[in-house]
Amino acid sequence: MLRIITQRAEAQTELRRICDRTHDEQVLHKEATVREVLQTVRRQGDKALIYYTAEFDRVKLRPEDLRVSAAELDAAYQRVPKELLDAIRLARQNIESFHRQRVPKSWVQFCDEQVVLGKRYTPVDRAGLYVPGGQAAYPSTVLMNAVPAKVAGVPRIVLVTPPGEAGINPAVLVAAQEAGVEEIYRVGGAQAIAALAYGTETLPKVDVITGPGNIYVTLAKKLVYGTVGIDSLAGPSEVLIIADKAASPAHVAADMLAQAEHDQMAAAILLTDDMVLARKVVEEVKNQLENHPRRLLTEKAIAHYGLVVVVDSLEAAAELSNEFAPEHLELEITDPWALLDKIRHAGAIFLGYSTPEAVGDYLAGPNHTLPTSGSARYASALSVETFMKHSSLVQYSPTALERVASAIDILATTEGLYSHGASVQLRVEGSEKLAEPQ
């Protein structure tokens, strides 16, 4: 079960181990399998998708079965309770409201001598959204990926998700339609990423792929990056909680288990300056696991990647948190805003005793697709910008070009790029003849 650590050096070692939990020999072996899947789908297209879906998902399909039909989409609404539909619509509204504030604006600056500089933002032509499936359903992931893509103005959005023996969960199909996505394919795993990256007879090649998945999906995204853009390499989920003596042990334990129940490689970490709280949380985790519906999986995650660290101060906790750079950071302390300035690296930060991470997973609005495994040191949450790119705008008048011609020529000559300098000289001198390069 949960261990309590009091030594900083030992805590740092354990945090590094947890952060690096996806970098092992088993992962390298799986990468070889993923490479084979990618190559096969690239060569064989739909035929490979049919084969791998039968092999991995135990579902037999024909090429015409890959795309979810309009009739299936309509029927999904009849299978979703009204209260779930209402919750999906509320979540979509909040997510859209938040992401509309993040749309980057094109801009132009008019400088001296008729120089014009600027940036022009445009969406990608096609986006591919991966939604995990099989035994579970994640309508929230549909919304978190589809809504920002729609807000960005992507003309064509394609969603892929594993079929599962019972078919695609109707909540996923309804969430997709509520977000404005109706092009949905029943294919998952590395083969789905390959189809989106390279295209098949049925699935279109896209420009960017987003969405979380298992280790095979993550490795596939890593390997196709460059052929297409990706959002991030989201690994197993993780939460780090900084709590003081006023925090509720039951609440902290529940928040830790809320991450651990995702996956047996999920991480749940508590940093506190109060030993009494630490011990109570360990006991609470044990108690709450007694009748947990996902007890076996959750216990494995807690046993391998659960940790409680008692520190000297909240400032020391912030330092350790920055070293770990958690996907989710909860500040369950009396004055979270006072400690916020000490936090440099985190995917999402939840402030105060009444803000469990689950709020961000479902309804708050900010995206729940976040950087993991320490990548919050340099990466950010999925957003509208994930589905957009920008072009620089540059315009010079003859007068402005003449003013900088000499500097350009010196730089071009230094780099041995004769025609760079010539392209400016021809315009400034108004002559078709140039001296031979020295």
Side-chain angles (χ1 to χ4, degrees):
M1 288 300 293
L2 276 172
R3 290 185 301 137
I4 297 178
I5 292 175
T6 58
Q7 299 300 313
R8 181 182 177 89
E10 185 181 1
Q12 289 174 312
T13 299
E14 279 297 286
L15 289 172
R16 282 194 294 269
R17 179 187 67 82
I18 294 172
C19 188
D20 295 338
R21 65 195 182 281
T22 59
H23 303 157
D24 57 25
E25 292 184 4
Q26 290 185 355
V27 171
L28 295 177
H29 176 71
K30 290 172 182 174
E31 185 170 312
T33 301
V34 170
R35 286 184 185 276
E36 181 180 346
V37 171
L38 295 178
Q39 292 170 2
T40 304
V41 172
R42 190 172 192 176
R43 291 194 308 266
Q44 299 181 10
D46 285 351
K47 180 181 178 182
L49 295 183
I50 300 300
Y51 171 79
Y52 285 125
T53 300
E55 178 78 9
F56 299 138
D57 298 313
R58 301 290 186 266
V59 176
K60 293 183 178 181
L61 299 174
R62 300 166 299 171
E64 56 266 33
D65 298 326
L66 287 171
R67 181 166 179 173
V68 177
S69 68
E72 290 175 275
L73 293 177
D74 290 341
Y77 275 92
Q78 307 306 314
R79 300 170 58 195
V80 170
K82 182 180 183 302
E83 57 269 23
L84 175 55
L85 178 58
D86 290 343
I88 287 173
R89 287 175 171 170
L90 176 60
R92 184 206 58 76
Q93 179 181 328
N94 289 350
I95 295 166
E96 180 177 345
S97 177
F98 176 84
H99 283 85
R100 285 205 177 281
Q101 300 179 55
R102 296 295 310 276
V103 179
K105 303 296 183 183
S106 299
W107 58 270
V108 173
Q109 180 181 15
F110 296 92
C111 308
D112 294 338
E113 297 178 320
Q114 294 182 302
V115 171
V116 182
L117 302 174
K119 259 182 188 177
R120 179 171 177 260
Y121 288 88
T122 53
V124 299
D125 289 336
R126 293 181 295 273
L129 316 181
Y130 187 92
V131 177
Q135 300 302 314
Y138 298 99
S140 62
T141 299
V142 175
L143 298 175
M144 291 293 183
N145 283 266
V147 172
K150 292 296 288 187
V151 170
V154 179
R156 186 176 183 182
I157 302 174
V158 177
L159 188 149
V160 295
T161 189
E165 295 182 12
I168 299 175
N169 190 289
V172 168
L173 299 179
V174 167
Q177 294 175 87
E178 289 295 317
V181 178
E182 297 188 346
E183 188 172 353
I184 303 169
Y185 297 91
R186 45 170 60 86
V187 59
Q191 61 270 27
I193 301 301
L196 294 174
Y198 307 125
T200 71
E201 298 90 331
T202 301
L203 274 73
K205 181 185 186 305
V206 301
D207 302 308
V208 64
I209 300 173
T210 70
N214 62 20
I215 187 63
Y216 295 99
V217 170
T218 301
L219 289 172
K221 288 171 66 177
K222 173 185 174 183
L223 293 172
V224 300
Y225 176 65
T227 299
V228 293
I230 64 172
D231 52 348
S232 64
L233 298 175
S237 190
E238 59 201 28
V239 66
L240 188 149
I241 301 170
I242 297 178
D244 60 17
K245 63 181 180 180
S248 162
H251 295 173
V252 173
D255 292 354
M256 295 179 75
L257 294 178
Q259 288 305 303
E261 70 180 350
H262 271 293
D263 185 282
Q264 64 184 27
M265 292 184 70
I269 300 161
L270 168 64
L271 308 181
T272 180
D273 60 351
D274 186 74
M275 177 61 81
V276 174
L277 177 74
R279 290 172 176 158
K280 287 183 178 179
V281 168
V282 170
E283 190 63 27
E284 270 291 335
V285 166
K286 181 180 178 181
N287 293 339
Q288 291 184 26
L289 274 171
E290 282 296 323
N291 299 307
H292 199 287
R294 296 165 68 91
R295 178 172 178 172
L296 183 60
L297 178 152
T298 307
E299 277 187 331
K300 286 183 178 180
I302 288 293
H304 290 97
Y305 306 112
L307 184 66
V308 175
V309 181
V310 178
V311 295
D312 295 332
S313 65
L314 295 179
E315 289 73 18
E319 291 176 7
L320 283 176
S321 176
N322 286 327
E323 291 182 24
F324 187 74
E327 175 190 18
H328 306 102
L329 172 63
E330 291 188 7
L331 301 181
E332 296 199 37
I333 58 179
T334 303
D335 190 357
W337 290 96
L339 191 65
L340 187 60
D341 284 344
K342 304 290 185 182
I343 302 299
R344 300 194 309 279
H345 311 304
I349 304 172
F350 302 86
L351 297 100
Y353 303 121
S354 300
T355 318
E357 182 272 328
V359 171
D361 267 353
Y362 295 112
L363 277 172
N367 213 281
H368 77 196
T369 301
L370 300 162
T372 60
S373 301
S375 59
R377 289 179 289 105
Y378 56 83
S380 305
L382 184 146
S383 67
V384 173
E385 294 97 321
T386 305
F387 300 98
M388 303 186 79
K389 63 271 188 316
H390 57 81
S391 305
S392 299
L393 302 177
V394 182
Q395 182 179 25
Y396 267 57
S397 67
T399 301
L401 184 63
E402 183 175 3
R403 182 171 57 83
V404 299
S406 176
I408 293 175
D409 188 56
I410 291 170
L411 291 168
T413 300
T414 299
E415 296 185 354
L417 299 175
Y418 169 76
S419 291
H420 278 61
S423 68
V424 174
Q425 289 181 43
L426 280 169
R427 288 170 169 80
V428 171
E429 296 175 3
S431 170
E432 297 300 322
K433 296 182 179 181
L434 292 173
E436 292 296 321
Q438 301 298 314

